[in-house]
Structures are given as C-alpha cells and as structure tokens.
Amino acid sequence: LKLNHHCIPALCCVCTNAKSKFILCILIDYYSYKIQYLLEYILESKGEITLLSTQELSERVNTSAAAVVRFAKKLGYKGFPELKVELAKDSDDEDDDFNEVIKASDSIDTMVKKAEVINLKAMSQTYRLMNMNHLKEAIDLISNCNNIYIFGVGASGLVAQDFQYKLSRIKRIAIYQKDSHTQLISAVNIEPNDIAIGISYSGETKEVNLALKKAKELGAKTIGITKFNNTLSKIVDISLHVPSEEKEI
C-alpha cells in the first residue's frame, strides 16, 4: 500500500483538528512504508482506532507498539491514548451528539465510545494538570506520617474509601469514616505528625472543608484532591488537581 498526494485532502477531511500535524507527518515520513500503512489504516478505520490499545493497533498494521507510540509523539501527543482522544474529537464532526451525555436512545456502540472518550479525556487532562513538586511532596507526607485521615462525602466518599483500602495494602494506617458527622469528630483527634486528605470535586463540601481546617489548626499537613480555584484548594497545604469539567454518563 502506498500513500499518494490524493490522500492529503482525504486526510484533512478525516482529521480536522490535527490536520496540519498529520500532513507534516506525511511530509516527513512519505517514503516510510510502515508509516504509510499506519496512516492508511487510520484513514480507513478511524472509528475503530479509538477502541484499540497500542498493542492491538500495532498487530493490525504489522509493526511494533513502540512504533505506534513514536508515531503519536511525532504528531505532538504524549502517547497513543492522547492521539485517540484527538481522533475521537474529530469524529464529533460526523456525530454532533457525540459530546453530549449518554442518552437512553444511544446504541450500545455509541455508549461505549462516549464512555471511553470521556475517560480518556479526563485521564489526559489530569496528567496535564499534575504539578510534580506537589505530587512528590504528597508522596513524602503519605510515606512518613503516623496516620492518614481521609475525608470525602457522597461520590467523593467512595473514592476516599477506595483510597483507604489501597493504602492499607501498602501497610499505611488510613482512617476514613463513612458518616460525615463522624468524620468531623475524627478530625479532632488529628495530631501534628498525621496528615489529612480531603477529596471533593467541587471543593465546596462543607464537612470536608471544616475537617481540613481543623486538621490544619491542630498542626497536621493537609492535602486536597479537587479542581482548580475553590475553597478546599485554598485551605490545604498541597493541592492535587483534577479536570474542572465533569461528564455525566
């Protein structure tokens, strides 16, 4: 299979947002058979690409997973998952409803595609928001403190409970109370060598913010897992941010 100049207009139609990046890649690797084959496969199977892993795509085009990753990075992405997000965005031009919430009228295929892209997008945005210095500080605190108090309500409470379980598997003493009022009571027992972690997407959950304020008053270091620019992020010593756009599914 060979790419010719007629592929460029077709490619532009397929990938509107990443058009210039793809054309640049063609100009650089025009005589690379494997790159040509990979590009042609993407052109012909764009909808399927977003559902494939790096390994699966490499097997389809008879190349290595590393070559697929290099291809994605050459286009300016951090890796293949980020490229898939971009391809999914371009697919939106063909399906105006793609960015909307999952609806009862959606087919199973559409639901799966929406769920995957929503999660890929959230992961990609989370990685971009990471402050490595804050992350290292948080890891040091969790590794060296006496006790870890975790606070979260509602859906964030489920995240807190799962985090407590994972910490217990690495032999860290983590305390989480399901009841929000009991959480506030436990906050009174925090000592300076402990840490408090508040989990709240909005950053405006009253019980979580009160608990983190109390922990700070008692001399404990505090960590917040939340979106940008809210009350919780202003209370805590270290903020670990998540994307500020929530999708319903």
Side-chain angles (χ1 to χ4, degrees):
L1 293 173
K2 278 193 173 183
L3 282 178
N4 55 47
H5 294 291
H6 297 294
C7 293
I8 294 179
L11 192 56
C12 295
C13 294
V14 170
C15 205
T16 306
N17 294 335
K19 177 173 62 178
S20 59
K21 292 180 180 179
F22 272 100
I23 292 175
L24 178 61
C25 187
I26 291 174
L27 294 175
I28 293 171
D29 290 292
Y30 192 79
Y31 295 103
S32 169
Y33 170 79
K34 289 189 180 296
I35 292 294
Q36 290 176 14
Y37 191 17
L38 182 54
L39 283 168
E40 281 201 349
Y41 191 87
I42 290 174
L43 283 171
E44 295 170 2
S45 314
K46 189 180 59 160
E48 180 189 7
I49 294 297
T50 58
L51 303 177
L52 297 178
S53 68
T54 307
Q55 186 61 42
E56 288 170 336
L57 177 58
S58 67
E59 290 172 359
R60 300 285 178 92
V61 297
N62 193 29
T63 189
S64 66
V68 174
V69 174
R70 286 195 299 271
F71 169 76
K73 288 183 176 180
K74 188 167 291 185
L75 298 182
Y77 302 104
K78 291 181 180 178
F80 183 56
E82 192 173 329
L83 172 58
K84 289 203 293 184
V85 171
E86 189 68 29
L87 288 169
K89 287 179 184 176
D90 291 318
S91 296
D92 295 349
D93 295 334
E94 299 169 9
D95 184 357
D96 293 336
D97 295 329
F98 186 78
N99 278 327
E100 296 179 5
V101 298
I102 291 174
K103 298 176 290 188
S105 59
D106 287 339
S107 68
I108 293 295
D109 287 346
T110 301
M111 287 182 184
V112 170
K113 184 179 177 184
K114 286 182 178 181
E116 183 194 26
V117 172
I118 287 168
N119 282 288
L120 284 170
K121 204 177 289 184
M123 285 175 60
S124 178
Q125 290 172 352
T126 300
Y127 284 123
R128 290 194 189 104
L129 288 171
M130 274 188 189
N131 181 312
M132 291 303 165
N133 291 329
H134 287 180
L135 185 60
K136 288 174 184 176
E137 287 178 44
I139 292 170
D140 287 340
L141 288 174
I142 291 170
S143 300
N144 299 308
C145 69
N146 288 344
N147 301 299
I148 303 163
Y149 287 81
I150 308 172
F151 302 92
V153 176
S156 295
L158 296 175
V159 177
Q161 190 173 2
D162 182 63
F163 190 33
Q164 179 197 29
Y165 168 69
K166 286 182 168 60
L167 287 170
S168 69
R169 293 184 64 183
I170 58 172
K171 299 182 179 180
R172 302 301 298 137
I173 299 173
I175 299 156
Y176 168 71
Q177 306 291 345
K178 291 182 181 179
D179 180 74
S180 60
H181 297 98
T182 310
Q183 286 184 36
L184 290 173
I185 294 170
S186 71
V188 178
N189 298 318
I190 293 177
E191 297 181 351
N193 290 330
D194 299 328
I195 65 168
I197 301 175
I199 303 173
S200 170
Y201 174 77
S202 69
E204 305 299 336
T205 306
K206 184 178 179 181
E207 295 84 351
V208 173
N209 291 349
L210 284 173
L212 270 289
K213 279 182 181 178
K214 187 62 181 177
K216 203 164 184 181
E217 288 173 8
L218 294 171
K221 289 292 184 180
T222 54
I223 299 170
I225 301 175
T226 184
K227 65 180 183 177
F228 267 109
N229 194 27
N230 53 48
T231 303
L232 179 58
S233 65
K234 293 173 183 175
I235 292 171
V236 297
D237 299 303
I238 300 169
S239 285
L240 301 176
H241 293 118
V242 296
S244 60
E245 182 181 1
E246 218 170 38
K247 296 284 187 181
E248 294 182 44
I249 59 170

